[in-house]
Amino acid sequence: MSHRSAPELLALHGVRILGGPSAAAIAERFWLNAADVREHLLDAQAFGWVNRHDFFGETWSMTERGKAEGERQLAEELRATGHLELVQTVHREFLPLNARHGACATQWQIKPTAWDQHAVNDHTDPVWDHEVLTELEALDREFSQLAGRLADALGRFDSYAQLHTAAVTRARAGQHAWVDAPDRASCELVWIQFHEDLLASLGIPRGSDG
């Protein structure tokens, strides 16, 4: 049975992973009660770990103190569960996939021409887009296996594979925004969140792991 993280850890962790979320968004992602998540966030706010914003409804952001505290709690969880080595191994295996996924993102956004190597991909070339989506599908299969190994041990990793697969499926069906749109659980956004989860779990600064 996979380890279920404490709700207060998930509430704090969700602020970092989801990037400016509401309590409801964190609750949905981690199968928690939204009212309970908000209470945990209010407690975290009292400690100076998160900030509350009310511009477009109530959302939350993480402070540097909160980031450090979140990493401390995650490290303690890995020590207590004995899963540190597993997360380290998955991170190493993830890095080459990450490079390939980044290349796909670039190819989806940019299609070089004879006169402009940085021309925007207008998605009028079905062969080009088909090749990018085919690579994304291949990556999705590998990613699902990798993320699944973590999910079997740590329940907070459980949704990544399903969300990425769903996004790839929608993109292949012609809903191109599901490749990289920032306003939904797109392939790119889910991938970034998974990477951030690994970095947070291992206390690795973003951009330092290749």
Side-chain angles (χ1 to χ4, degrees):
M1 180 180 295
S2 64
H3 172 76
R4 180 66 172 165
S5 301
E8 56 269 27
L9 184 155
L10 292 173
L12 181 63
H13 187 55
V15 175
R16 176 168 178 174
I17 298 305
L18 300 180
S22 64
I26 296 172
E28 181 179 2
R29 185 62 173 268
F30 293 118
W31 303 284
L32 299 171
N33 179 277
D36 291 341
V37 169
R38 186 174 187 275
E39 287 301 314
H40 292 312
L41 292 177
L42 289 171
D43 290 341
Q45 183 184 29
F47 285 113
W49 299 340
V50 296
N51 290 319
R52 184 176 60 186
H53 309 280
D54 297 300
F55 299 113
F56 302 102
E58 187 178 281
T59 58
W60 299 83
S61 63
M62 180 165 279
T63 66
E64 286 301 313
R65 287 178 61 190
K67 181 178 179 181
E69 174 60 21
E71 290 180 358
R72 186 197 68 77
Q73 292 185 23
L74 292 170
E76 177 59 32
E77 179 182 63
L78 292 184
R79 283 192 294 269
T81 59
H83 293 316
L84 174 59
E85 185 176 351
L86 171 63
V87 178
Q88 291 172 329
T89 299
V90 168
H91 176 250
R92 286 195 300 270
E93 295 178 12
F94 171 76
L95 292 179
L97 300 184
N98 190 47
R100 288 167 56 196
H101 204 276
C104 280
T106 298
Q107 292 165 357
W108 188 256
Q109 295 167 357
I110 297 174
K111 183 177 181 296
T113 65
W115 54 89
D116 185 358
Q117 291 300 300
H118 302 286
V120 173
N121 181 13
D122 60 7
H123 303 292
T124 58
D125 184 342
V127 174
W128 180 276
D129 283 1
H130 172 77
E131 290 178 354
V132 176
L133 290 172
T134 298
E135 172 67 353
L136 275 177
E137 288 169 335
L139 280 164
D140 182 67
R141 290 189 290 272
E142 296 178 61
F143 176 66
S144 292
Q145 294 179 1
L146 196 64
R149 284 161 52 196
L150 274 185
D152 287 343
L154 297 164
R156 61 187 169 86
F157 284 97
D158 191 47
S159 61
Y160 289 108
Q162 295 93 321
L163 289 171
H164 192 269
T165 297
V168 172
T169 300
R170 286 174 165 174
R172 175 59 87 180
Q175 301 176 54
H176 290 170
W178 284 92
V179 173
D180 58 2
D183 63 345
R184 66 198 69 192
S186 65
C187 300
E188 184 69 9
L189 187 62
V190 172
W191 196 271
I192 289 171
Q193 291 171 352
F194 179 81
H195 191 187
E196 188 68 19
D197 210 331
L198 292 177
L199 297 178
S201 298
L202 298 172
I204 299 173
R206 174 166 281 280
S208 66
D209 64 343

